[in-house]
Amino acid sequence: AQKITQTQPGMFVQEKEAVTLDCTYDTSDPSYGLFWYKQPSSGEMIFLIYQGSYDQQNATEGRYSLNFQKARKSANLVISASQLGDSAMYFCAIEGGSYIPTFGRGTSLIVHP
Amino acid sequence: DAGVIQSPRHEVTEMGQEVTLRCKPISGHDYLFWYRQTMMRGLELLIYFNNNVPIDDSGMPEDRFSAKMPNASFSTLKIQPSEPRDSAVYFCASSFTRQGLDGYTFGSGTRLTVV
């Protein structure tokens, strides 16, 4: 079984500041992938970033980076230089050997001007 | 590519009626997934297909739910009869591979309300 925990139901950040969204996971699979998705108020789910469990480097995609700490089983998303358009729900997900992804309950991010 | 296309965007129906949700995946994507999102349960995988064949339907809540993929460019999720507790947003997603290194591409979802 695999599990994702996102403990922050809501986060607030000032525009242009950086923000970290927490994600911890649990899995018995030796190989797995971790994902982050963004869901704006319009409802669609947008893929942001992927981290493989054997990747040596932390994944980065533009202003998004994934702070992967394998020993702590955490995969936090860091958004640098927040923009108003970053206001959305953010979901962390894990995909193990069964290739059936499990999503967390999400964190709501509000960016203030 | 226009992305994953779902229809309708919104559906309001009366309890007991049949509901059919439709999905057109991205051309070339071999995997298609149906998810359901509710406040209570979050995002749940209902079923997924590989090359039009259903691989895992263990997430389908009960026999009232059925899904088909008659060809590579079309899938349906049917609920018959519908109940108020089926009210949710239903997402279809597709990907090139089973291990979503490039992530899954989601459709815009169908918001279903059963009254």
Side-chain angles (χ1 to χ4, degrees), chain A residues 5-22:
Chain A
T5 302
Q6 294 181 255
T7 57
Q8 307 155 313
M11 290 285 287
F12 298 87
V13 65
Q14 203 75 23
E15 193 178 10
K16 300 180 184 177
E17 299 286 314
V19 63
T20 297
L21 306 183
D22 294 342

Side-chain angles (χ1 to χ4, degrees), chain B residues 51-71:
Chain B
N51 291 324
N52 314 336
V53 176
I55 302 301
D56 188 336
D57 65 354
S58 58
M60 296 285 262
E62 47 198 276
D63 292 345
R64 297 185 298 107
F65 286 70
S66 62
K68 294 181 180 179
M69 193 166 184
N71 57 63

Side-chain angles (χ1 to χ4, degrees), chain A residues 58-75:
Chain A
N58 284 345
T60 61
E61 288 288 345
R63 294 186 298 110
Y64 304 109
S65 61
L66 200 153
N67 184 2
F68 181 46
Q69 298 187 45
K70 197 169 184 177
R72 293 187 176 185
K73 294 191 174 181
S74 74

Side-chain angles (χ1 to χ4, degrees), chain A residues 31-33 35 37 39 42-45 47 50 91 95 98-101 103-105, chain B residues 9 35 37 39-43 45 56 91 98-104 106-108:
Chain A
S31 177
Y32 49 89
F35 305 78
Y37 285 82
Q39 186 176 39
S42 51
E44 73 272 27
M45 295 282 285
F47 167 70
Y50 166 85
F91 292 90
E95 184 183 72
S98 65
Y99 298 133
I100 298 177
F103 284 79
R105 298 305 299 270
Chain B
R9 284 298 307 272
Y35 284 89
Q37 186 179 36
M39 288 295 292
M40 291 295 293
R41 301 174 68 88
L43 201 63
L45 178 66
D56 188 336
F91 286 103
R98 186 57 189 91
Q99 187 178 9
L101 298 176
D102 296 319
Y104 306 104
F106 281 77
S108 298

